Amino acid sequence: MSDPESADRRPLGALPRRRRQDSIGEQIKDLIIEQGLRPGERLPGESALMARFGASKGSIREALSALRSEGIIRTRTGPGGGVFLSEIGTGRAIAHLSNYFLFRTPSVTDIYDVRCELEPELAASVAGRLSEVDFARLERTMRLYDAPPATAEEEYQQRMAELDFHSVLAELCPNPVLGLFCGFLQTLLREMAVCRRIYDAPHPELRDTALHYQIHLMRALRASDAGAARTVMAEHMIAARDYMVRMEASIAGRFLRADAKRD
């Protein structure tokens, strides 16, 4: 019997020995690619899949159930029903990635080490590619924090809107891999407990800092200047990293002092 913990020790990228239904699931994915099927199109029926892969009805159903859990297919009952392809949205893909870090919580430094590398390239990648509709989306996000907040709750919402600005850039990125990972890092910042504590802390200068960099970034993007966009975003990420790392250390220090008092 295999050790159930061995999968956790397996290096990233190492492939486990596949069960029968997993193998069929991969073959169904190959079939989708080979036939150029698109979201909304119907998969062949159970009988056709059984014949094609030489598998039992039970194995086919288990494979389809796994694909349904992954969000690749959906089932429609009634007239015109069957199994149809379903596109996995960015939100669902990011949710799966987030689950990986449920018990492997990264530090703020971990996240910003990667953001400092990726986000300048994200900014450069969209330069010269944005429409007026795209600029309008970015400007609508900026308007949410163009005035000082009246309450602590409003300040927190403005912090989230600042992240939304970066999320819009990630959605507009022509490189889907770069866009997905930048969006994922922004999701981690929203979800991590230590980041929520940081965002809860009053710091009115942050709004001015974010606006400063984003206004300059918008000018570079409107000028289709990828080099300037990369430079502005790099400076923005360094400033954000320095603040977030400093605040993370401050919060950790407060917890340590509180533990020392209880002892």
Side-chain angles (χ1 to χ4, degrees):
M1 184 178 294
S2 62
D3 178 2
E5 295 184 359
S6 63
D8 294 334
R9 296 194 294 268
R10 189 180 294 120
L12 287 175
L15 293 175
R17 191 173 184 177
R18 292 187 295 182
R19 296 177 301 166
R20 174 67 171 158
Q21 62 267 31
D22 294 334
S23 175
I24 294 172
E26 293 304 313
Q27 291 179 70
I28 292 174
K29 292 178 186 177
D30 290 342
L31 173 66
I32 292 168
I33 295 170
E34 288 168 8
Q35 296 191 356
L37 300 179
R38 305 299 301 166
E41 294 190 68
R42 189 199 305 262
L43 271 182
E46 281 186 0
S47 298
L49 293 174
M50 289 167 60
R52 183 181 184 95
F53 301 123
S56 68
K57 180 180 289 188
S59 293
I60 292 295
R61 288 186 173 179
E62 286 185 38
L64 291 175
S65 178
L67 294 177
R68 191 178 299 109
S69 297
E70 294 175 19
I72 295 173
I73 62 172
R74 57 185 173 81
T75 303
R76 186 189 304 162
T77 59
V83 178
F84 297 84
L85 296 182
S86 179
E87 186 171 18
I88 298 175
T90 302
R92 183 162 188 163
I94 287 176
H96 283 304
L97 284 173
S98 296
N99 289 338
Y100 175 81
F101 288 100
L102 186 61
F103 303 109
R104 300 174 175 87
T105 305
S107 67
V108 169
T109 300
D110 293 332
I111 294 173
Y112 272 90
D113 281 349
V114 181
R115 284 195 87 192
C116 285
E117 293 294 328
L118 296 188
E119 293 246 2
E121 297 310 312
L122 171 65
S125 75
V126 300
R129 294 175 175 267
L130 302 182
S131 68
E132 282 304 316
V133 172
D134 298 330
F135 280 115
R137 285 185 66 192
L138 291 165
E139 288 164 356
R140 279 197 302 272
T141 304
M142 293 172 67
R143 280 198 294 273
L144 295 175
Y145 48 92
D146 64 358
T151 65
E153 174 62 23
E154 187 177 346
E155 183 173 359
Y156 179 84
Q157 293 304 322
Q158 286 187 348
R159 301 274 177 86
M160 295 301 99
E162 291 164 14
L163 283 174
D164 288 343
F165 178 91
H166 295 267
S167 296
V168 172
L169 286 178
E171 290 178 24
L172 297 173
C173 181
N175 181 329
V177 178
L178 179 59
L180 176 67
F181 279 98
C182 286
F184 170 59
L185 293 172
Q186 293 144 22
T187 297
L188 281 181
L189 291 173
R190 289 185 178 91
E191 294 179 348
M192 285 175 55
V194 65
C195 291
R196 290 199 296 269
R197 293 191 188 100
I198 292 171
Y199 296 139
D200 275 333
H203 197 129
E205 296 87 354
L206 277 184
R207 183 187 63 85
D208 294 334
T209 301
L211 279 173
H212 166 79
Y213 285 115
Q214 290 173 5
I215 288 170
H216 282 78
L217 177 62
M218 291 289 278
R219 289 174 182 166
L221 294 177
R222 282 199 171 275
S224 300
D225 190 336
R230 182 184 289 109
T231 298
V232 172
M233 185 65 88
E235 292 173 354
H236 183 19
M237 287 298 100
I238 290 170
R241 179 195 63 194
D242 291 348
Y243 168 76
M244 294 291 286
V245 169
R246 188 170 64 252
M247 290 297 291
E248 180 185 38
S250 174
I251 288 171
R254 288 201 298 272
F255 276 106
L256 288 173
R257 288 193 293 273
D259 289 341
K261 288 179 180 178
R262 283 195 293 269
D263 293 341

